[in-house]
Amino acid sequence: MLSYKELIKQNKAFADAHYVIKNFGNGERWQIADHSQQPSFKYPLMYVEDAGNTSSDGSYTYSFTVWFVTRIEAPKDRGDEILYAEYANAKSDMIQCAQDLVSFWVQDTNFPTMELDRSVSID
């Protein structure tokens, strides 16, 4: 069983090694805005928020909401189609980051006692 601290450490290691993600944070959702005020901050951001941990039958379950946040630069030509294309590209990149994180945990064999709930929702 991994401790909370080790789970955060592993998620940070994933973010640090990922080609797209430039920053990592952990805390409550409202702290994302504070996080972006740090001098070293760069987008895209992977942010891990606790989502209610439970305990039953001698096992402890950690739950997280993971945010993948990026910026969309406003194009010089602000036509609707161009803005939509920029939004769609950014959304696609962040969905891919989320899928990479799920794959990271599903395929990891370093923690044989950890059971991962593979039913995730990517919004």
Side-chain angles (χ1 to χ4, degrees):
M1 172 67 130
L2 291 176
S3 68
Y4 178 84
K5 185 171 104 175
E6 184 63 26
L7 285 168
I8 298 305
K9 181 180 172 184
Q10 291 296 322
N11 279 301
K12 183 177 182 338
F14 165 82
D16 290 345
H18 198 277
Y19 181 74
V20 173
I21 300 166
K22 302 295 182 206
N23 223 318
F24 175 83
N26 169 239
E28 295 182 34
R29 183 180 322 169
W30 63 267
Q31 292 173 305
I32 292 174
D34 289 342
H35 193 78
S36 67
Q37 303 302 313
Q38 297 174 2
S40 63
F41 183 81
K42 293 180 184 172
Y43 284 104
L45 165 69
M46 176 180 156
Y47 200 82
V48 177
E49 174 188 19
D50 295 357
N53 304 327
T54 60
S55 178
S56 69
D57 297 329
S59 67
Y60 193 82
T61 303
Y62 294 100
S63 298
F64 299 99
T65 299
V66 182
W67 299 85
F68 292 93
V69 183
T70 193
R71 290 183 53 162
I72 301 173
E73 296 295 330
K76 292 180 189 333
D77 179 2
R78 294 179 180 239
D80 287 342
E81 287 183 28
I82 294 173
L83 282 174
Y84 176 76
E86 291 297 318
Y87 173 76
N89 286 338
K91 185 174 181 178
S92 179
D93 291 347
M94 296 303 94
I95 289 170
Q96 185 61 56
C97 289
Q99 291 171 336
D100 293 346
L101 178 64
V102 171
S103 294
F104 168 79
W105 282 107
V106 168
Q107 296 177 12
D108 194 295
T109 57
N110 293 330
F111 311 107
T113 61
M114 185 175 75
E115 291 182 35
L116 180 72
D117 181 358
R118 290 175 169 84
S119 61
V120 299
S121 173
I122 298 175
D123 296 325

